[in-house]
Structure formats: structure tokens, C-alpha cells
Amino acid sequence: MPRSETELMLKGYGLTTAEMYYRMPDHQSVLNSFVWQDYDLAPDYPKLFGFIEFWQEKLDGPLHSVRFTHRKMIRAGEWRNVVQEFRLN
């Protein structure tokens, strides 16, 4: 069942961005890059490492290196439930 981005952020997921450098299958001396983004859980990063495993098993271009960053979009002190709003004229 797909979840909304807000639900994922409230459950502790953060936006993970990875830049992968890989060698071209036919030209091993040429490096190319690919950028991947998804919501993932730190510090285990199951989605990122799952994608890297998929790459190594299914794709022909061998990985040279992977650089990634992770940022939580909602932190503990930034979310509050507003129950009622008062307007002053």
C-alpha cells in the first residue's frame, strides 16, 4: 500500500539522495553518473542498499563509487497538532 510523503516523514523517514558513478559497459575507461532519490530510514538505509544490490545483480555497468546524503524533513520540534484556531478582528 503506497504511503504519502507526510506519513513517511512522520514515521522517521528522511529524503536520501545518492549519486552513483559507474563505468560504461562497452567503454570501461568512461565514468558516468546517476542520481537516485527516495525516502529511507537512517542509519540502515534499506531502500538505498536494496537499490545498490539490484544494480550490482541486474545492470551491466559496474559501480565505481556511491556518494549519498540523508536529511529528515520533519524533526521532533517542528510538528504540532493544531486542534483549534482563534481569529481576532
Side-chain angles (χ1 to χ4, degrees):
M1 163 166 74
R3 297 179 182 217
S4 72
E5 292 178 0
T6 304
E7 287 177 315
L8 289 173
M9 287 186 274
L10 290 173
K11 292 184 182 279
Y13 283 75
L15 187 62
T16 302
T17 304
E19 185 174 19
M20 301 172 186
Y21 292 95
Y22 63 97
R23 298 195 181 276
M24 298 295 289
D26 296 337
H27 304 283
Q28 291 291 311
S29 61
V30 177
L31 280 178
N32 205 355
S33 67
F34 176 79
V35 176
W36 174 91
Q37 259 189 344
D38 203 350
Y39 286 94
D40 210 353
L41 280 171
D44 295 330
Y45 304 104
K47 288 187 178 183
L48 173 61
F49 291 128
F51 182 75
I52 290 172
E53 286 177 19
F54 165 79
W55 185 296
Q56 291 173 335
E57 292 173 5
K58 304 289 184 187
L59 301 180
D60 291 334
L63 284 173
H64 175 269
S65 59
V66 177
R67 236 177 22 168
F68 72 94
T69 184
H70 177 83
R71 178 162 166 35
K72 285 194 173 187
M73 306 304 278
I74 296 179
R75 297 188 188 117
E78 295 182 17
W79 173 261
R80 60 189 173 117
N81 186 16
V82 177
V83 178
Q84 193 169 3
E85 181 179 330
F86 296 100
R87 292 185 179 234
L88 299 174
N89 293 331

